[in-house]
Each structure stands twice: as C-alpha cells, then as structure tokens.
Amino acid sequence: MEATRSIAHMDLDSFFVSVERLFDNRLNGKPILIGGSSDRGVVASCSYEARRFGVHSAMPMRVARQLCPEAIIVRGDFERYSQKSHEVTDIVRESVPLFEKSSIDEFYMDLTGMDRFFGCFKLAHELRQRIIKETGLPISLGLSENKTVSKVATGEAKPNNERQIPFGEEKPFLAPLSVRKIPMIGEKTSQTLYNMGVKKVQTLQQMPAELLKATFGKNGNMIWEKANGIDRNPVIPYSEAKSISSENTFEQDTIDVKMLEATLTAMCEQLASKLRQKGQLTACVTVKIRYSDFETHTMQQRIPYTSADHTLLPIVKELFRKLYSRRLLIRLIGVRFSTLVYGNYQINLFEDSQEQINLYQALDHLNVKYGDKTVCRAIAMSVGRRRFNPFNGMET
C-alpha cells in the first residue's frame, strides 16, 4: 500500500507590500498600492487594507485610486523583491530535501516519510517560524496529502497563519468554499459555473465528472478531481541551473556588429516570448561568444525576475559589448536565461502601462498562432527567419 504523502505549501503574504514595510515601517497598517504611479499604470500588488476596498493586482491604477483614494502608492523595487525571494529560497533549501519554487513568493515541499503526519506539521511550522524570524516577512502555511488541498489551506490560513488538513478530510474541508478557491478555476471558468448554478465546491463534488468534461473538455475531469481533493501531481525539484537558451553558428565567421546585435535581439525576443508562454521568469542572463579560433567566452548577470523584452534586451546587448573585446571574427553567439521560476508576474508591472501589457499579450498570441517572428522588432527582421537551435526543454 502506498504511503500517505505530506505536502506543505507556503506563500509569502502580500509579498511586495511586506518587503516595502520592512524598509519603511510607516507603511504598516496603511492601504498600499505598488505599481506605476501614473493613471496608465497597473497595480502590481496591494495590501490587505487596500483589498477591502475592492482593489486587486493587475487592476489599472486609475481605478484603484478611485476605489481607495487614501491609499499610499509605492513605485516598487523589483531588485529588492528578488533578493528577499532568494533569501527565503536559501532557508527552504537548507531545511528540506525536496521542494518546488512555483513562483518568487510560493513554495511546495514534499515532507513524505520524514516523520509521522504530526511530525511533518511540526517540521513545517518550525520552518515557517524560521523564515519569519530571519527575513522579517509574514508567510502562511498549508499541509495536506496533496498540492491542491495544501494551496487552498494556505489561502484559508492567510494572513500569516497555518492550516493542516488531515488525510481523509480533504472533501469536507473544500465543500463549503467558493469554486473560485480551487486552483485553475479563474474568472471565465467560474462565470460558466455560476451560470450553471454552481457556486460552492460541494456542488462540484456532487456533479458527474462526465458533465464537467462535456462542458470544459479535458480540463473538466481535472476540475472535478481538484474539487474532490484529488491531486497526484508530484513536487517538482527546484534547481537554479534550469535554463532556456538559444545559439546561432554563422555560415561564415563575421565581425559585422550590427548583424550580431540584430541576431541577439531576435534570440532574446524569442526566448522572452517562450518564458511568457510558459508563465516563467528569469533572474540570470548569460551571453556567449565563440571566436573563429574556437576560443569561447561567456558573461552573465543576475537581474530582478522578469520576462519582458524591453528589460532583457538592454542587458543582453550590454553583456555582448563587454564580452566582445578581442575584435576577432565570431563563429557563434548565444543567449541563455537561467534561474527560472514559474509565477504570476509575467511582466514587470512596475515599468509597464496597461497598453504595454496588452501589446505583449497581443504579440505573443500572434507569434504562437502564426509562428516565431510573425511580429518582432524591425532590427530582428534583418536576420531573417533563422533556425536558432533553441533548447526548449529545461537544462539541468
């Protein structure tokens, strides 16, 4: 008989706001909006005090200010948030043998076999207390037999608390909750369910799985399983070595800097688009040069988490300019984005207007539908539809 799993989920509470409050305690207890300060800006994060007014992330700043006029607007410092995320990750890495970093502020940990169930909760509780003590950040914890129930338990424990769901009590725990509490049920899916008269998870649990499958296709069965507290997905081991990269070997060795930068731009655009398609962010950029004598050089730079072209491109170009020092003919150039995490912050909301976010989404949609480089920067068009030999899978 298979042993009962123990899966912990931890989520830093209102992460960006909590980090800002570490550096300015005058923000404590106040409604805070983080993001672009202009009316064209977007709310990247908001405090619980602001949420009571109906404010939520990704909302236009203009609307948020109307809902909560007394809110304090903070521009935000993504580099600072990335650093605090790394601090928490280091503590988790030291404490548990198997964990998954699912975003910059969210973790799953497989504690199966480390102790009896109560012991696992004690272990998770002590880890949570250590994170709070050493980083000063509030974090919530959920523990159950699987990832879905643990994530929902964390949500119910917030803010800054913990919740354990014993094995066998998954369905009763989920039953009274809104269907929106189930991961993967977003606004569109929930609206369809509301139209069907389904508002509570209990109703979902009682529905035939076939009906949900007929309505939502292959996702219908997954929705039914999650509503019934069933989730067999494993915790995926986190490794900062994971990366996505692209290289181009030229047919003739070249010293044409304009063409080299055009090629780098095209590679950077394609890789950034792939990150956004997968809902990933990178925190490390590497550029590679191989000269005609086969001598190879690389240079990398740690950066705040992002997947935005306009943030990544200047870094790629700057690394190339620093790296290209020998003035010999170049045989190969490459770009790699590493230290990848999944996350909800696909675009750097502190720099982007709603129009820019919409533009990225439209570009990605067209390039997915019609192929890479259907729409791209003019400079990238000059290198044509090259096959860049991208490594789409994750390297370890």
Side-chain angles (χ1 to χ4, degrees):
M1 183 177 175
E2 193 173 328
T4 303
R5 296 192 302 167
S6 293
I7 308 296
H9 175 264
M10 289 191 194
D11 192 4
L12 289 153
D13 297 329
S14 193
F15 178 50
F16 299 162
V17 173
S18 297
V19 174
E20 291 297 334
R21 285 173 169 166
L22 276 181
F23 293 88
D24 186 354
N25 58 19
R26 292 174 299 178
L27 300 176
N28 291 344
K30 306 281 180 60
I32 310 296
L33 306 178
I34 295 182
S37 55
S38 71
D39 283 347
R40 294 174 59 203
V42 179
V43 177
S45 182
C46 57
S47 67
Y48 287 99
E49 292 83 0
R51 293 180 198 183
R52 296 192 189 107
F53 291 84
V55 178
H56 57 78
S57 61
M59 174 182 280
M61 188 62 75
R62 171 180 48 81
V63 176
R65 291 166 76 177
Q66 289 171 353
L67 290 171
C68 187
E70 63 265 46
I72 300 170
I73 300 174
V74 179
R75 182 78 176 90
D77 184 337
F78 217 61
E79 189 166 355
R80 184 180 283 174
Y81 308 148
S82 295
Q83 179 57 41
K84 296 304 288 186
S85 174
H86 291 311
E87 285 181 25
V88 178
T89 304
D90 289 342
I91 294 170
V92 174
R93 184 187 287 110
E94 290 174 12
S95 306
V96 297
L98 176 56
F99 76 97
E100 173 182 342
K101 185 174 182 177
S102 56
S103 77
I104 67 169
D105 57 359
E106 187 176 7
F107 302 83
Y108 290 98
M109 299 152 226
D110 192 339
L111 307 181
T112 306
M114 295 187 71
D115 203 341
R116 297 189 177 187
F117 202 65
F118 174 77
C120 289
F121 186 66
K122 183 172 182 289
L123 175 69
H125 165 79
E126 290 172 354
L127 173 56
R128 174 175 167 262
Q129 292 300 320
R130 182 184 169 194
I131 291 169
I132 293 169
K133 181 180 178 182
E134 294 187 16
T135 70
L137 296 171
I139 186 168
S140 294
L141 158 69
L143 180 72
S144 77
E145 188 269 342
N146 64 59
K147 293 170 81 172
T148 292
V149 176
S150 294
K151 184 178 175 69
V152 176
T154 300
E156 293 303 290
K158 284 179 175 287
N160 202 26
N161 216 323
E162 48 197 45
R163 183 86 183 262
Q164 176 187 7
I165 310 303
F167 181 68
E169 295 185 21
E170 295 85 4
K171 281 183 68 173
F173 161 67
L174 296 171
L177 303 178
S178 163
V179 292
R180 284 298 301 269
K181 298 280 189 176
I182 300 294
M184 83 174 284
I185 295 185
E187 192 172 333
K188 189 175 178 182
T189 303
S190 64
Q191 194 56 57
T192 304
L193 289 170
Y194 294 162
N195 293 338
M196 295 167 64
V198 181
K199 293 185 177 180
K200 299 292 184 184
V201 175
Q202 185 173 18
T203 313
L204 269 181
Q205 293 173 346
Q206 295 167 348
M207 292 174 70
E210 293 75 19
L211 176 58
L212 288 170
K213 192 172 182 181
T215 307
F216 299 105
K218 61 183 181 181
N219 286 334
N221 195 59
M222 199 179 303
I223 291 171
W224 184 88
E225 286 190 344
K226 287 181 180 292
N228 281 277
I230 302 168
D231 181 358
R232 304 173 188 86
N233 289 318
V235 172
I236 301 167
Y238 173 71
S239 169
E240 291 200 344
K242 288 182 177 178
S243 65
I244 184 168
S245 61
S246 180
E247 292 183 354
N248 186 53
T249 302
F250 299 104
E251 292 178 7
Q252 289 187 324
D253 297 352
T254 180
I255 201 170
D256 184 342
V257 173
K258 187 171 287 188
M259 189 270 284
L260 289 166
E261 289 199 354
T263 304
L264 286 170
T265 297
M267 288 193 287
C268 184
E269 283 184 335
Q270 290 182 21
L271 291 175
S273 180
K274 288 181 189 301
L275 286 178
R276 295 193 296 272
Q277 289 167 34
K278 294 179 179 182
Q280 291 181 310
L281 304 162
T282 179
C284 186
V285 175
T286 305
V287 171
K288 175 180 180 181
I289 290 178
R290 179 168 295 148
Y291 292 102
S292 54
D293 61 0
F294 286 87
E295 190 171 317
T296 304
H297 298 267
T298 62
M299 184 175 288
Q300 71 176 32
Q301 182 176 329
R302 290 293 290 260
I303 61 169
Y305 286 111
T306 187
S307 61
D309 299 19
H310 68 272
T311 302
L312 293 163
L313 264 172
I315 295 164
V316 168
K317 289 181 178 179
E318 181 62 24
L319 286 174
F320 171 71
R321 290 174 191 137
K322 288 180 179 177
L323 198 58
Y324 185 38
S325 57
R326 296 186 66 201
R327 303 304 173 198
L328 292 177
L329 291 170
I330 288 179
R331 175 181 176 82
L332 172 150
I333 56 173
V335 177
R336 184 172 76 245
F337 299 152
S338 57
T339 314
L340 306 184
V341 296
Y342 289 92
N344 299 319
Y345 315 108
Q346 281 88 356
I347 297 173
N348 190 344
L349 295 173
F350 309 116
E351 297 178 2
D352 297 337
S353 64
Q354 187 65 52
E355 292 89 342
Q356 193 158 29
I357 293 170
N358 292 339
L359 175 62
Y360 272 122
Q361 291 171 341
L363 290 175
D364 292 341
H365 174 74
L366 289 170
N367 287 326
V368 168
K369 188 172 183 180
Y370 299 108
D372 284 345
K373 294 190 68 181
T374 299
V375 184
C376 65
R377 286 168 174 77
I379 189 174
M381 292 297 293
S382 64
V383 298
R385 286 180 176 269
R386 294 182 180 275
R387 290 185 175 274
F388 287 124
N389 184 28
F391 296 96
N392 298 328
M394 309 313 293
E395 300 172 353
T396 55

